[in-house]
């Protein structure tokens, strides 16, 4: 009985051991497959990042086009207001000219009736009734003066008629110009709406692309957090933000500290206030706080200050991006390879890596 039990237990152990799963070491083929998959994932990630950057550039370009159109519309509106004012002034001048012309015609008519009431015989009577030769000569000279005066009056009347017609013609031209400006503005507004629709689709595509490179978010977030800690240290050592009253103390750190107050401010076409900024409106607003006047657009600001190389970059420098030397975006360098900017429609003022493939140049505008 004992032998049977012992044999049974041994058989149980053998069966249990034989059924236990064995973890085999990965083969070289499996390792190679994993490496290839990793490389493929990295390649897809890079493509996703490039695609996202391409879309971001398209949105920035659209923003610039829309902002340019809005600036042009505003410029045309000012021209329209000026034309309207000129039309009012011209109409008043026309009324005055018509009144003067009417008065001169009445004076001329009275003079004509007085002089020519008896026809050409009136002149002969004046001559025949003269007392002596000298009186005759005197009367002839007087008649000549009257005739010359009549001619001059007629010339003045004709000149005023020409001026009146010219003013009417100019008024019509101004009206035509006003209508043309209205039509042009309507077309630009239509273009603006089309661009907005295109931009909405691109923003949706950006949001889809963001999910494709989530694996690098931790690395980017780590760098961003480090930059934010640096900025907080700068802010702790600078005066608390208050609305600008005159020029504030100027330094690169102060510029960064002040600019960071507007993190999260929404992007807005043509925006120049904390209610909403475009990229150049943001930088212009920040530097105005320090008593430095920058141009309104990226095209203007890239001419402000003086150029600095990447190696010379300091906090507070302006950095510009675009293609072919044509700036379409900009921001303020904050250090640590990052910059603060108002990116695009649908986004907010934030801090991003300044190292972009479309980098153009940097400008230093600090005193």
């Amino acid at each position: 009985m004992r032998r049977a039990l012992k044999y049974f237990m041994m058989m149980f152990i053998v069966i249990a051991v034989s059924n236990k799963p064995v973890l085999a070491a990965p083969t070289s083929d499996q390792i190679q497959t994993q490496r290839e998959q990793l490389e493929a994932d990295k390649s897809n990630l890079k493509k996703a990042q490039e695609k996202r950057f391409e879309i971001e550039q398209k949105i920035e370009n659209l923003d610039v086009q829309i902002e340019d159109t809005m600036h042009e519309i505003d410029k045309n509106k000012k021209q329209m207001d000026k034309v309207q004012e000129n039309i009012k002034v011209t109409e008043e001048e026309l009324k005055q000219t018509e009144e003067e012309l009417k008065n001169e015609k009445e004076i001329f008519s009275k003079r004509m009736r007085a002089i020519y009431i008896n026809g050409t015989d009136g002149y002969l009577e004046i001559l025949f009734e003269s007392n002596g030769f000298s009186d005759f000569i005197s009367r002839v000279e007087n008649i000549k003066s009257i005739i010359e005066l009549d001619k001059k009056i007629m010339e003045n009347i004709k000149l005023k008629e020409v001026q009146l017609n010219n003013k009417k013609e100019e008024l019509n031209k101004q009206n035509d110009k006003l209508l043309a400006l209205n039509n042009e503005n309507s077309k630009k507004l239509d273009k603006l709406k089309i661009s907005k629709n295109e931009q909405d689709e691109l923003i949706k595509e950006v949001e889809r692309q963001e999910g494709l490179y989530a694996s690098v978010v931790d690395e980017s977030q780590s760098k961003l957090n480090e930059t934010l800690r640096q900025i907080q240290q700068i802010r702790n050592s600078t005066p608390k933000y208050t609305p600008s009253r005159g020029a504030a103390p100027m330094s690169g750190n102060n510029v960064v500290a002040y600019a960071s107050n507007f993190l999260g401010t929404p992007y807005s076409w043509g925006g120049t206030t904390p209610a909403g900024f475009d990229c150049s409106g943001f930088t212009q607003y920040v530097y105005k706080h320090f008593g430095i006047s920058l141009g309104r657009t990226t095209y203007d600001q890239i001419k402000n200050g003086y150029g600095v190389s990447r190696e010379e970059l300091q906090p507070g420098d302006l950095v510009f991006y675009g293609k072919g030397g044509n700036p379409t975006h900009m921001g303020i360098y904050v250090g640590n390879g990052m910059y603060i900017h108002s990116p695009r429609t649908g986004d907010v003022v934030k801090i991003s890596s300044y190292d972009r493939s479309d980098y153009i140049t940097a400008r230093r505008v600090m005193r």
Side-chain angles (χ1 to χ4, degrees):
M1 182 68 178
R2 289 180 179 177
R3 288 182 178 179
L5 181 59
K6 184 177 180 180
Y7 176 78
F8 176 77
M9 292 178 66
M10 289 178 64
M11 290 298 294
F12 178 81
I13 293 172
V14 170
I15 293 171
V17 171
S18 64
N19 288 336
K20 185 179 180 179
V22 179
L23 299 176
T27 66
S28 59
D29 289 342
Q30 289 175 325
I31 294 175
Q32 181 62 28
T33 300
Q34 290 173 357
R35 286 176 177 173
E36 290 175 355
Q37 184 61 49
L38 179 60
E39 291 302 318
D41 290 342
K42 288 182 178 180
S43 177
N44 290 334
L45 174 60
K46 184 178 180 181
K47 289 178 181 178
Q49 290 173 325
E50 291 174 350
K51 178 64 176 177
R52 183 179 184 277
F53 180 65
E54 179 184 342
I55 293 171
E56 290 279 5
Q57 282 187 311
K58 288 181 179 179
I59 293 174
E60 288 175 5
N61 289 334
L62 266 176
D63 282 333
V64 170
Q65 292 175 16
I66 291 171
E67 288 163 14
D68 287 346
T69 301
M70 292 181 69
H71 290 319
E72 190 65 25
I73 288 174
D74 184 61
K75 179 181 177 181
N76 287 342
K77 185 179 182 301
K78 291 178 181 178
Q79 290 177 343
M80 289 171 62
D81 292 341
K82 187 175 181 179
V83 169
Q84 289 279 11
E85 184 63 28
N86 288 339
I87 288 175
K88 290 180 181 179
V89 172
T90 303
E91 287 176 343
E92 289 298 320
E93 291 178 351
L94 283 171
K95 289 180 182 178
Q96 294 176 4
T97 302
E98 288 173 350
E99 187 65 27
E100 291 174 3
L101 184 59
K102 180 181 177 182
N103 292 337
E104 288 193 8
K105 283 183 177 180
E106 289 179 356
I107 292 172
F108 176 72
S109 297
K110 290 178 181 179
R111 191 185 303 278
M112 291 292 286
R113 283 195 297 271
I115 295 177
Y116 301 113
I117 193 167
N118 294 320
T120 55
D121 291 341
Y123 287 108
L124 295 176
E125 289 177 5
I126 292 173
L127 297 177
F128 290 147
E129 291 176 359
S130 58
N131 298 318
F133 183 74
S134 60
D135 185 34
F136 174 78
I137 295 299
S138 177
R139 287 176 181 248
V140 169
E141 291 299 324
N142 288 337
I143 291 173
K144 286 174 64 179
S145 297
I146 292 173
I147 293 173
E148 289 298 324
L149 180 60
D150 290 339
K151 288 181 179 180
K152 190 172 183 178
I153 291 174
M154 288 297 296
E155 288 174 356
N156 287 338
I157 291 175
K158 289 179 180 179
L159 179 60
K160 283 189 176 289
E161 287 178 339
V162 171
Q163 291 174 340
L164 181 61
N165 288 328
N166 288 340
K167 285 188 176 183
K168 285 183 177 180
E169 184 178 351
E170 181 62 26
L171 182 59
N172 290 330
K173 288 181 180 179
Q174 289 177 346
N175 273 323
D176 292 341
K177 182 178 180 180
L178 182 60
L179 290 173
L181 286 173
N182 278 328
N183 291 334
E184 184 179 351
N185 282 340
S186 296
K187 291 178 181 178
K188 287 184 177 180
L189 285 174
D190 291 340
K191 180 181 178 182
L192 183 62
K193 292 176 182 178
I194 293 172
S195 297
K196 180 62 173 64
N197 292 336
E198 293 175 353
Q199 197 173 60
D200 286 341
E201 293 303 315
L202 289 175
I203 290 173
K204 291 177 183 177
E205 181 63 20
V206 166
E207 291 172 350
R208 287 193 291 269
Q209 292 292 329
E210 284 176 349
L212 297 178
Y213 73 107
S215 58
V216 296
V217 168
D218 291 340
E219 180 182 348
S220 298
Q221 189 64 46
S222 176
K223 190 173 183 179
L224 175 59
N225 289 342
E226 176 61 27
T227 302
L228 288 173
R229 280 194 293 270
Q230 292 178 6
I231 289 177
Q232 189 58 48
Q233 291 175 357
I234 294 172
R235 292 182 64 175
N236 291 339
S237 63
T238 56
K240 187 178 179 181
Y241 160 65
T242 54
S244 176
R245 293 183 179 179
M250 186 65 181
S251 73
N253 285 345
N254 283 357
V255 170
V256 171
Y258 181 71
S260 68
N261 288 291
F262 306 104
L263 288 169
T265 301
Y267 181 96
S268 176
W269 290 326
T272 58
T273 71
F277 291 113
D278 61 24
C279 64
S280 57
F282 172 60
T283 53
Q284 184 188 53
Y285 187 88
V286 169
Y287 267 95
K288 184 178 180 181
H289 178 74
F290 297 94
I292 293 181
S293 178
L294 300 181
R296 174 59 193 90
T297 68
T298 54
Y299 307 111
D300 299 324
Q301 292 186 29
I302 201 171
K303 301 173 185 175
N304 294 143
Y306 59 93
V308 293
S309 67
R310 288 196 178 202
E311 294 74 21
E312 298 172 316
L313 274 175
Q314 296 177 7
D317 289 340
L318 300 178
V319 287
F320 296 84
Y321 303 91
K323 290 184 178 180
N326 184 34
T328 56
H329 189 59
M330 65 177 300
I332 299 172
Y333 187 69
V334 301
N336 198 31
M338 309 289 275
Y339 79 120
I340 185 170
H341 61 135
S342 184
R344 57 170 175 80
T345 301
D347 212 333
V348 297
V349 173
K350 64 183 183 182
I351 296 171
S352 305
S353 172
Y354 101 103
D355 190 14
R356 293 173 35 164
S357 62
D358 61 340
Y359 177 88
I360 298 177
T361 189
R363 306 287 291 183
R364 185 165 297 160
V365 295
M366 293 180 289
R367 291 192 294 265

